[in-house]
Amino acid sequence: MNRASAEASGSVSLVGAGPGDPGLITVAGRERLRRADVVVYDRLAHPALLAEAPAAAERIYVGKAPSEHAVAQDEIGRLLVDRARAGKRVVRLKGGDPFVFGRGGEEADDLVAAGVDFDVVPGITSAVAVPAYAGIPITHRDAASSFAVVTGHEAPGKPASRIDWAALATGVDTLVFLMGRRALAGIAARLIAEGRDPATPAAAIEWGATPRQRTVAAPLAELAAAAEAAALVPPAVIVVGQVAALRDRLRWYDGRPLFGKRVLVTRTRAQASTLSRALREAGAEPIEFPAIEIVPCDPAPAVAAAGRLSDGRYDWAVFTSANGVAAFRRALEAAGLDARAFGGVRLAAIGPATAEALDALGLRADVVPDRFVAEALADALEPRIAAGERVLLPRAAGSRDVLPSRLRAAGAEVEDLPVYESRRPAEPDPAVVARIEAGEIDIATFTASSTVRGCLDLLGGRAELLREVTIACIGPITARTATEAGLRVDVVAREHTIPGLMAALLEHAGRETDHDYAHASAHA
Ligand code: SAH
């Protein structure tokens, strides 16, 4: 691209990230992130959203917690203009909606003044979503026909305040204050002084729509003291109005089975997302701690095997992981071949995720066992494989011997082909190690024996760090590895898949709750 056209294509998108839960960004917002060259973000934009941007994109943090001003506002404007003028696609990612107290209007002004092309992707504002996550609808047919969103920064005593307190106190049903935690006592006193009933239901919600969400509910006159007693901190949304009483009935999120649980996800970074998403939906905070990484083996043997496959030299191809399918696909490509090389070869997959990886190549597995372990795959294959048939088995280096030895015993000729290796990453994320050391983890999940070994390796063999942690394994083999490594296994999935692991975790959480109730009533 030449200089002139690069300059012409630079632009800025002011994107609302939504509050808390990273799933609350819009489709359009995520689209912008995926094409970004530069992401300029602040503290209320969820870190998981940064992973949506291309790896090569520049990520710039500009603050700001109430006490820090990482980058001054006019500098942010200059930064956006400079990057856009350098031809970059810039995403300015802001918590909630960019035009609700986000100073998005000022940033847009800077862009207009500089003649920079820009657009705005609205976001879900915390003013509406945070009460919703606390079970408070900001309007309700019986309880509220109007709402106002008010800044808590124009403290009630401030002489130049543009807020018409008298009108707010009596003229609007639901009042939502943002940035109001510190001024809460003053806000409540002023509303009451201007005529609002001190008994009006009210609530303050800290870190809404996240697993850290905490809600304090009290009549308006008592809310500040209650928030103080609970040591509630910003960011918090304050809701005043009859709707705040509906929480008792409509509360949903913070009652979820895994709400607030901090869960270690030890799969590879690339594979973590499905489990992380399911955990978030159950109210948990996934903490990704990749304990393995997938590295391809020397490609030459796999490329040679791909050639033989194409020559019709195998009767069966048996896959025991989606990683194995991906690695063999690369071997096919390196051999200048594609899925047609499989021809009439029959296919087996150890479980649904592996079958899906084949499906993505347009290949349907002929055999998928009903339990997703090597033993069950051998059970399913034995009756179907005739003596002398040739089986290609592309899988991880160092895999267990069960499958090849049983197929050989059944008379098959098995070519065990290591196509990838799972290795422990060189360096663990020090922030996650610190959280483990501080006892901040509630549950650790293991989806393969290699993740157990990798995780303990990354912790310098200190299995005792996980003594108080609930250990959840995808199946019996992983569980055995964990037990042998000195861990006490609490949960083993009946179905050896990610949904199966989630189901087992939810069931376990349900049992714990029952147990707590039984315990409580025994003492009552
Ligand atoms: N543009 C944002 C608001 C920015 S002002 C939006 O539309 O949501 C920052 C204030 O938003 C915080 O002081 C707090 O009052 C509120 N806020 C944002 N995210 C929040 C969250 N997850 N939980 C509670 N309050 C939040």
Side-chain angles (χ1 to χ4, degrees):
M1 206 189 293
N2 67 39
R3 216 45 238 158
S5 70
E7 279 183 18
S9 67
S11 65
V12 177
S13 292
L14 299 173
V15 175
D21 186 341
L24 293 177
I25 193 169
T26 64
V27 173
R30 190 169 63 178
E31 203 49 49
R32 298 293 189 288
L33 276 175
R34 288 183 175 168
R35 287 187 289 128
D37 301 312
V38 182
V39 182
V40 179
Y41 64 101
D42 40 44
R43 122 175 146 123
L44 292 177
H46 197 286
L49 290 174
L50 296 178
E52 293 286 346
E58 185 185 10
R59 290 156 169 82
I60 306 173
Y61 177 69
V62 292
K64 34 197 154 172
S67 52
E68 62 168 14
H69 274 267
V71 179
Q73 188 61 40
D74 53 344
E75 273 176 57
I76 296 176
R78 265 201 305 278
L79 183 68
L80 299 177
V81 169
D82 285 353
R83 291 297 192 281
R85 284 194 174 147
K88 307 289 185 194
R89 267 195 300 259
V90 183
V91 166
R92 172 69 175 111
L93 187 66
K94 302 166 84 71
D97 179 272
F99 279 179
V100 176
F101 299 132
R103 307 188 75 163
E106 285 159 76
E107 289 171 17
D109 268 334
D110 291 342
L111 298 170
V112 171
V116 167
D117 186 31
F118 79 100
D119 65 359
V120 181
V121 180
I124 298 179
T125 178
S126 62
V128 175
V130 167
Y133 268 69
I136 301 172
I138 66 165
T139 72
H140 189 282
R141 203 178 149 81
D142 305 323
S145 310
S146 60
F147 66 85
V149 181
V150 185
T151 171
H153 260 178
E154 294 197 20
K158 195 163 140 186
S161 171
R162 273 174 307 188
I163 296 173
D164 182 343
W165 288 94
L168 275 182
T170 53
V172 182
D173 293 336
T174 305
L175 299 174
V176 179
F177 292 89
L178 302 188
M179 302 175 285
R181 172 63 194 95
R182 306 234 186 268
L184 178 53
I187 290 169
R190 183 72 188 263
L191 290 173
I192 292 167
E194 301 284 0
R196 193 76 168 206
D197 182 350
T200 307
I205 307 134
E206 171 192 285
W207 282 112
T210 77
R212 292 160 68 181
Q213 174 173 308
R214 287 198 302 149
T215 301
V216 170
L220 179 57
E222 293 160 30
L223 186 63
E228 215 43 54
L232 215 71
V233 296
V237 167
I238 294 151
V239 191
V240 178
Q242 292 304 325
V243 289
L246 296 173
R247 167 171 164 80
D248 288 343
R249 228 161 64 209
L250 301 184
R251 180 177 173 177
W252 58 280
Y253 176 61
D254 49 6
R256 292 249 158 130
L258 296 178
F259 177 75
K261 297 276 191 247
R262 292 153 301 187
V263 185
L264 208 58
V265 174
T266 56
R267 320 188 79 191
T268 63
R269 184 76 69 202
Q271 289 183 309
S273 61
T274 25
L275 181 54
S276 292
R277 190 181 321 118
L279 287 166
R280 251 185 227 115
E281 280 166 10
E285 179 192 357
I287 298 165
E288 294 185 3
F289 188 58
I292 51 171
E293 60 187 22
I294 302 298
V295 274
C297 292
D298 170 17
V303 170
R308 287 193 295 277
L309 178 73
S310 175
D311 292 342
R313 302 266 296 280
Y314 302 105
D315 303 292
W316 285 89
V318 175
F319 291 93
T320 59
S321 72
N323 287 322
V325 176
F328 193 71
R329 178 197 188 151
R330 281 192 296 275
L332 278 176
E333 280 166 8
L337 296 166
D338 59 30
R340 286 171 295 179
F342 283 93
V345 171
R346 275 158 297 158
L347 294 168
I350 197 165
T354 308
E356 229 168 80
L358 285 172
D359 202 62
L361 299 178
L363 300 168
R364 176 157 9 206
D366 301 288
V367 174
V368 183
D370 47 14
R371 282 186 321 119
F372 315 133
V373 293
E375 286 78 359
L377 183 54
D379 290 343
L381 283 170
E382 273 166 355
R384 290 187 170 82
I385 290 187
E389 285 193 324
R390 292 149 307 177
V391 178
L392 178 63
L393 181 57
R395 56 181 194 155
S399 294
R400 291 189 303 142
D401 204 34
V402 183
L403 194 54
S405 64
R406 282 195 45 193
L407 296 180
R408 281 184 192 121
E413 227 176 84
V414 180
E415 184 176 334
D416 193 356
L417 179 72
V419 284
Y420 71 95
E421 198 179 335
S422 64
R423 254 199 340 219
R424 116 177 136 66
E427 287 300 328
D429 179 343
V432 178
V433 174
R435 294 186 72 176
I436 298 172
E437 287 171 343
E440 279 183 27
I441 306 298
D442 300 299
I443 300 171
T445 59
F446 296 105
T447 53
S449 291
S450 53
T451 63
V452 177
R453 292 188 209 103
C455 179
L456 288 173
D457 271 1
L458 289 176
L459 296 175
R462 294 174 293 167
E464 67 276 10
L465 285 177
L466 301 177
R467 193 181 299 137
E468 303 293 315
V469 174
T470 298
I471 305 288
C473 295
I474 200 164
I477 312 297
T478 306
R480 195 196 312 142
T481 306
T483 308
E484 284 167 6
L487 301 177
R488 179 209 62 248
V489 176
D490 304 284
V491 178
V492 183
R494 259 196 309 271
E495 191 195 278
H496 314 319
T497 60
I498 295 301
L501 180 59
M502 273 310 293
L505 279 172
L506 294 177
E507 202 179 295
H508 180 77
R511 270 201 309 276
E512 297 260 283
T513 316
D514 291 347
H515 177 78
D516 289 349
Y517 280 136
H519 210 66
S521 51
H523 286 268

